[in-house]
């Protein structure tokens, strides 16, 4: 049970750390080879760019988990605790609807690109894999939103 709890609490952190570390190493190799050896491989820049895209979408899930996504707090300052919790629950449900739309559209684009067989210029990997970042990242976000909704409902019941 401890391993599952650790994965639940730190999954995005581990994934983001690995992606960021890889991107930093790739960019450092690119810079070293370009300016010291005067011959830089094109694939390092391309892979770093794709890793950055994945990092953004996994980062959305991390922001949701930490409840740090963009919001307007002005209204929340004047509301009661019960009203605050209710608004948070409603906004999380609206965010889930947004995520579902993007997941559906992003999956359609990724599947289309995979069926076309389009590949990246330097790495020759299917571009559909790059475009799967949005459906996968926002699917993780939905999991975190559901966890937040459950937490908010429990806190709302505790106010009674």
């Amino acid at each position: 049970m401890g391993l599952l709890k650790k994965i639940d609490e730190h999954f995005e952190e581990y994934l983001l750390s690995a992606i960021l570390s890889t991107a930093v190493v790739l960019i450092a190799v690119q810079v070293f080879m370009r300016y010291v050896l005067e011959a830089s491989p094109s694939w390092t820049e391309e892979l770093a760019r794709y890793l950055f895209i994945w990092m953004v979408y996994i980062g959305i899930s991390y922001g949701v988990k930490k409840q740090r996504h963009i919001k307007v707090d002005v209204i929340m300052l004047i509301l009661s605790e019960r009203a605050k919790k209710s608004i948070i629950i409603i906004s999380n449900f609206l965010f889930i609807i947004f995520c579902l739309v993007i997941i559906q559209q992003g999956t359609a684009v990724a599947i289309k690109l995979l069926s076309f067989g389009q590949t990246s210029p330097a790495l020759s990997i299917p571009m559909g894999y790059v475009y799967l970042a949005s459906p996968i990242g926002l699917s993780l976000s939905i999991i975190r939103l559901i966890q937040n909704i459950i937490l908010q409902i429990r806190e709302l019941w505790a106010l009674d």
Side-chain angles (χ1 to χ4, degrees):
M1 188 64 168
L3 178 63
L4 288 177
K5 184 174 174 64
K6 195 170 191 172
I7 290 172
D8 178 51
E9 290 177 358
H10 302 288
F11 178 72
E12 289 91 347
E13 293 170 30
Y14 294 149
L15 197 54
L16 288 170
S17 296
I19 293 171
L20 180 61
S21 299
T22 305
V24 167
V25 168
L26 287 170
I27 293 168
V29 166
Q30 171 78 0
V31 169
F32 175 78
M33 291 188 72
R34 178 181 296 161
Y35 293 108
V36 176
L37 303 179
E38 295 181 2
S40 62
S42 60
W43 64 269
T44 56
E45 182 182 342
E46 186 174 291
L47 183 56
R49 184 180 318 124
Y50 296 153
L51 289 173
F52 181 74
I53 292 168
W54 274 87
M55 203 168 33
V56 167
Y57 284 103
I58 302 297
I60 292 170
S61 175
Y62 181 71
V64 168
K65 182 181 120 190
K66 294 292 185 178
Q67 297 183 21
R68 299 283 184 209
H69 46 279
I70 297 172
K71 57 187 170 192
V72 179
D73 288 337
V74 175
I75 295 174
M76 301 299 266
L77 296 174
I78 61 173
L79 296 176
S80 68
E81 280 300 310
R82 185 170 208 60
K84 286 180 192 177
K85 302 285 182 206
S86 300
I87 287 178
I88 291 170
I89 292 168
I90 292 167
S91 68
N92 283 338
F93 274 115
L94 292 173
F95 197 177
I96 287 174
I97 292 168
F98 171 78
C99 288
L100 289 171
V101 170
I102 300 302
I103 288 168
Q104 188 270 330
Q105 294 296 316
T107 303
V109 169
I111 289 170
K112 194 173 287 189
L113 286 173
L114 287 170
S115 70
F116 290 160
Q118 180 182 358
T119 59
S120 66
L123 291 170
S124 297
I125 60 171
M127 286 302 293
Y129 294 148
V130 177
Y131 280 81
L132 281 174
S134 60
I136 291 172
L138 292 175
S139 294
L140 287 171
S141 296
I142 287 178
I143 292 169
R144 297 304 184 178
L145 285 164
I146 290 170
Q147 288 175 334
N148 286 345
I149 289 170
I150 291 169
L151 178 69
Q152 295 299 327
I153 288 173
R154 285 183 180 160
E155 289 177 2
L156 194 60
W157 287 343
L159 291 176
D160 290 335

